[in-house]
Amino acid sequence: MAKIPTSPFAELGPKTPVETGTVKRGIYGRYLEEFTEGAIFEHPRELTIDRSFAQEFATTFMEANPLYLSAPYAQAHGFKDLLVSPLMVFNVALSLGVQNDSEKALANLGYYDVQFLKPVYPGDTLSAKTKIIKIDDKGADKPGIVHVRTLCLNQNRELVLQYERKIMIYHSNGKPKGTPKPVIKDAFFPETDSPVIELPELKFPKGFETSTWTDTYFENFSAGQIYIHQNGRTITDEHFPWTYRVGNTHPLHYDKLYSSGISGPMGGEPVVYGGLVFAWLCGLSSRDVTENVIWDLGFTEGYHTQPSFSGDTVTAITRVLSVKDRGTEFGIPAGEVHLQFIGLKNIKANDAFEKFGADLFLKENDKKKHGKEKLPEKIFEIERKILVKKK
């Protein structure tokens, strides 16, 4: 053990002249011209997800699946401990990348091919890396689009999550730039175009029959069903600390001086970080559709179609697109359920369904070709696949 002598120190401020020419201003994030196709960013900071953090996320974001709440339940099913919610893993991975990827972004345009490949447990430490896939530069006076792939690794450098997203970013056009860390050449980046899910040997234990509801097993789902989730969730200023708790550094989500200086629909009050909205919406559906999920197979192309703000109440609707029996491919009898997931704000899900009907399930970017108007109450759309236990 090192023992270092110390003592009180004298005040120097009043006697030290102020040098106004030596000011340093930390400027973070990248403008469009600062991205290069093929570049890899190794993002600063890692997060160790302890048990209390994992369970607080699961309960705050309304998860009903006991895999994320009960260690005995998860262990009885073959996992070594309770699982960290996939939406928490996703939020941490995205947020750790913000400083390099999107802290100068005007908007996050969409998520693509979100794949959860390995369990994350309390005590695991997560880090993230991003590769620039493509840059769509539309000119100096227009925002461009940066397409990225992000990996999330655990402390053993094992790939636990892979996904892509598209980000809208302006050129600097004379604005001061920061000094981001240089791109790491030959960085370890274990991306894969042939992903494989690695799970322990799963079990179907007895004695947990009352841990979940009886009508959320695979046999209860059929193509065409529509679940109108009855409860909403009013988002309060709690979103400010949660933004930084998962590692997101974009000031749009917690700095009113910054957000009030932005014009358009994203300006004014700080915008709720989309990953948190995503998690709350999934939580609202959890009791109806994901309580008996044994693994989250991921999400495909999805979008935040409107921003959310403190005070908004979000609601959700789910449509079953297809079901597929997977036998015992994953170790226990289970089936795959493919869902379409819709998020709304400031309207009850029942009222939205009565008002808009089938139009809710049209992609917002496709509305024009169908001769339809976009829905201001609709804030999110994505498709999801889940692996659900049989009875």
Side-chain angles (χ1 to χ4, degrees), residues 27-30 34 99-100 177-183:
I27 300 174
Y28 300 98
R30 286 175 162 84
E34 297 179 277
Q99 182 171 309
N100 279 318
K177 299 179 185 178
T179 53
K181 288 185 178 180
V183 174

Side-chain angles (χ1 to χ4, degrees), residues 89-103:
V89 177
F90 175 79
N91 266 280
V92 169
L94 190 157
S95 295
L96 288 176
V98 165
Q99 182 171 309
N100 279 318
D101 299 344
S102 59
E103 197 159 328

